[in-house]
Amino acid sequence: MDLVYKSEKPLFVLSMVIGTIVWLALVVGTFGVALVYVLLFLIIYLFAHSGFIAYLRGNTLELSESQFPDLYKQYLEACERLEIEEIPTAYLMMSDGILNALATRFLRRHYVVLYSSVVEALRSRPDALRFYFGHELAHIKRGHLNLQWLKMPASILPLLGAAYRRAQEYTCDLHGLAASNSREDALAALAVLGTGGEKLADVNVNGFIDQQRYTGGFWMSYHELTNDYPWLCKRLAHIAAVSGARNGRASEYKAPSRSFFAGVFAAFTPRFGVGGGASVLVLVAIIGVLAAIAIPAYQDYTLRAQASGAMPLVEQVESAAAEYVNEHKAYPESPADVGLPEEMETGPVSHVAVIDEGFELTLRSSNALLNEKTIVVGAYQNDDGSIQWHCVGGTLDQKYRSAKCRSQQP
């Protein structure tokens, strides 16, 4: 069975040709100035997308042999059936009933994000889960995530951009079918996207497929032509036909014809997102979500970098205080005992004092979240009588501290 939808390859070639011509024209026409803006955009995108990847790594569960091993085994089986040697990292994300999944790439690594609602709905049907896994893995196997910047000029063109994305979805469904190897479970995996898990057992798949008879009208034709996804009933019909043909039970799928006038209007609707007049709003929303994740993360990173400027002094206090205790069998009584003045005119620390808990270092910063905040370097005794040092005390927020001053416990 050919796992690539019939129109994907020619649309890919056309997109690459158009993209190459547009970029070359921009570079030559602006004498290279366009490259500066491209680089700036790529840097902004890198920081924005890094926020999403950081969110995945910090807040969602990574599938592994010790984390949902049954799901991970089925995921590996889907990779094996699709002959994917370098296994993408898979995460399970709480989805609040949203039925979807996604594949993404950051730098040179690939990730597959699985939504918990779909996994729960298909948990009792392993072949349906493998379809779900296989669909997302196909985006990686087919290189849909590669060279997107080069294809971008073509991707926003009316008709072409959305048509190429829909062809990718049909291709991914074919890969999902190959990973599943079960017609009924493949159809169930698609049907759950339209019904949810609770009603899946009662779905009349043939009735769902029959809804494609409505897709030839003006409005449905227009919104499909400007949308990144084919109508779900047509995707079901496509998989039903292909899997039936493979078993000698059906012929090649023929989609209902679309309204000619819908095509005319769609030819004047650029693609900026998932489709139609709302595509610009969707794009803005996506950028806003990514920015909402990335900007606070970046701000925390810069403040943490500023606060880390005090770490050499923290380590100096620990070392000098340890030597003082070993030599005098007593705790230092003043900053001078560890070779430091009380007041510092420059640097990340403005004041050093001895308090009951230990040495208190007061930070200096132009940012109110750091300025006048304190780090306390103190000592504690282990069960064997030995003394160790910590820097977890003080008023500085934990998220701005170095790993050392967050992980140690007195």
Side-chain angles (χ1 to χ4, degrees):
M1 179 177 65
D2 187 359
L3 300 185
V4 181
Y5 188 64
K6 58 186 179 181
S7 64
E8 182 186 331
K9 290 181 179 178
L11 289 173
F12 166 77
V13 172
L14 184 58
S15 297
M16 291 292 287
V17 170
I18 292 175
T20 301
I21 292 173
V22 171
W23 284 120
L24 285 175
L26 281 173
V27 172
V28 174
T30 62
F31 301 99
V33 174
L35 292 177
V36 177
Y37 291 97
V38 171
L39 179 61
L40 179 62
F41 173 80
L42 290 177
I43 292 174
I44 294 173
Y45 173 78
L46 178 67
F47 275 92
H49 195 45
S50 70
F52 177 66
I53 299 301
Y55 176 85
L56 286 180
R57 291 175 173 174
N59 294 325
T60 63
L61 297 175
E62 179 181 346
L63 296 188
S64 66
E65 293 179 353
S66 60
Q67 191 77 269
F68 295 102
D70 57 328
L71 291 178
Y72 187 60
K73 180 181 178 182
Q74 293 165 18
Y75 177 70
L76 293 180
E77 288 173 354
C79 291
E80 182 179 0
R81 291 184 181 183
L82 296 180
E83 299 179 349
I84 297 176
E85 297 180 359
E86 187 173 346
I87 308 300
T89 306
Y91 289 96
L92 183 63
M93 176 185 287
M94 189 274 291
S95 58
D96 286 332
I98 297 174
L99 302 175
N100 208 337
L102 62 94
T104 188
R105 176 178 178 171
F106 183 68
L107 300 179
R108 299 183 64 86
R109 297 187 62 181
H110 290 98
Y111 304 87
V112 171
V113 182
L114 311 169
Y115 282 26
S116 58
S117 297
V118 179
V119 170
E120 281 303 310
L122 302 177
R123 195 71 178 267
S124 62
R125 305 182 71 160
D127 277 315
L129 272 176
R130 279 189 280 269
F131 177 95
Y132 178 59
F133 299 153
H135 178 98
E136 298 307 324
L137 289 167
H139 284 301
I140 297 170
K141 182 177 177 63
R142 287 291 305 156
H144 295 163
L145 308 177
N146 302 336
L147 298 176
Q148 295 192 71
W149 62 272
L150 183 58
K151 295 178 286 188
M152 186 178 66
S155 70
I156 66 175
L157 291 179
L159 298 178
L160 174 59
Y164 181 41
R165 279 292 293 116
R166 291 195 303 275
Q168 290 178 351
E169 289 302 308
Y170 279 126
T171 290
C172 291
D173 285 347
L174 290 172
H175 281 72
L177 178 61
S180 168
N181 204 31
S182 167
R183 179 179 187 271
E184 289 71 23
D185 285 314
L187 293 175
L190 282 173
V192 76
L193 300 178
T195 63
E198 296 180 358
K199 301 295 184 182
L200 180 60
D202 301 323
V203 172
N204 180 340
V205 173
N206 290 328
F208 199 168
I209 291 173
D210 189 50
Q211 289 180 207
Q212 66 177 315
R213 69 183 185 276
Y214 302 120
T215 62
F218 174 83
W219 291 114
M220 291 200 70
S221 295
Y222 170 77
H223 286 291
E224 184 179 31
L225 287 169
T226 56
N227 202 303
D228 285 3
Y229 293 87
W231 297 123
L232 187 56
C233 57
K234 294 176 72 172
R235 292 172 63 184
L236 280 160
H238 174 242
I239 287 301
V242 170
S243 58
R246 184 180 61 186
N247 297 321
R249 297 199 303 264
S251 59
E252 182 180 355
Y253 171 64
K254 293 183 179 180
S257 58
R258 298 190 183 101
S259 165
F260 170 79
F261 293 104
V264 173
F265 277 83
F268 294 93
T269 307
R271 173 190 171 268
F272 289 104
V274 297
S279 59
V280 177
L281 296 178
V282 172
L283 179 62
V284 171
I286 291 173
I287 293 175
V289 170
L290 291 175
I293 296 172
I295 291 175
Y298 178 70
Q299 291 175 336
D300 289 349
Y301 169 79
T302 56
L303 290 174
R304 195 156 50 245
Q306 291 182 35
S308 67
M311 288 309 299
L313 201 60
V314 169
E315 293 171 357
Q316 179 181 338
V317 169
E318 289 182 354
S319 176
E323 291 181 4
Y324 186 93
V325 170
N326 289 334
E327 181 178 349
H328 297 88
K329 307 303 180 184
Y331 200 80
E333 297 181 356
S334 70
D337 290 340
V338 293
L340 292 174
E342 289 189 8
E343 303 294 334
M344 297 185 177
E345 295 182 0
T346 61
V349 175
S350 62
H351 182 77
V352 180
V354 175
I355 60 175
D356 292 340
E357 292 82 9
F359 284 87
E360 183 182 66
L361 279 62
T362 302
L363 301 183
R364 175 190 287 114
S365 175
S366 59
N367 192 300
L369 294 173
L370 298 183
N371 193 43
E372 299 297 324
K373 301 300 181 183
T374 60
I375 298 175
V376 173
V377 181
Y380 63 97
Q381 192 173 41
N382 293 318
D383 294 337
D384 60 3
S386 62
I387 294 177
Q388 285 189 298
W389 301 84
H390 68 85
C391 53
V392 297
T395 60
L396 179 64
D397 195 303
Q398 290 293 314
K399 65 182 178 180
Y400 302 136
R401 295 172 180 261
S402 67
K404 175 181 178 179
C405 294
R406 291 197 308 269
S407 61
Q408 287 184 335
Q409 294 296 327

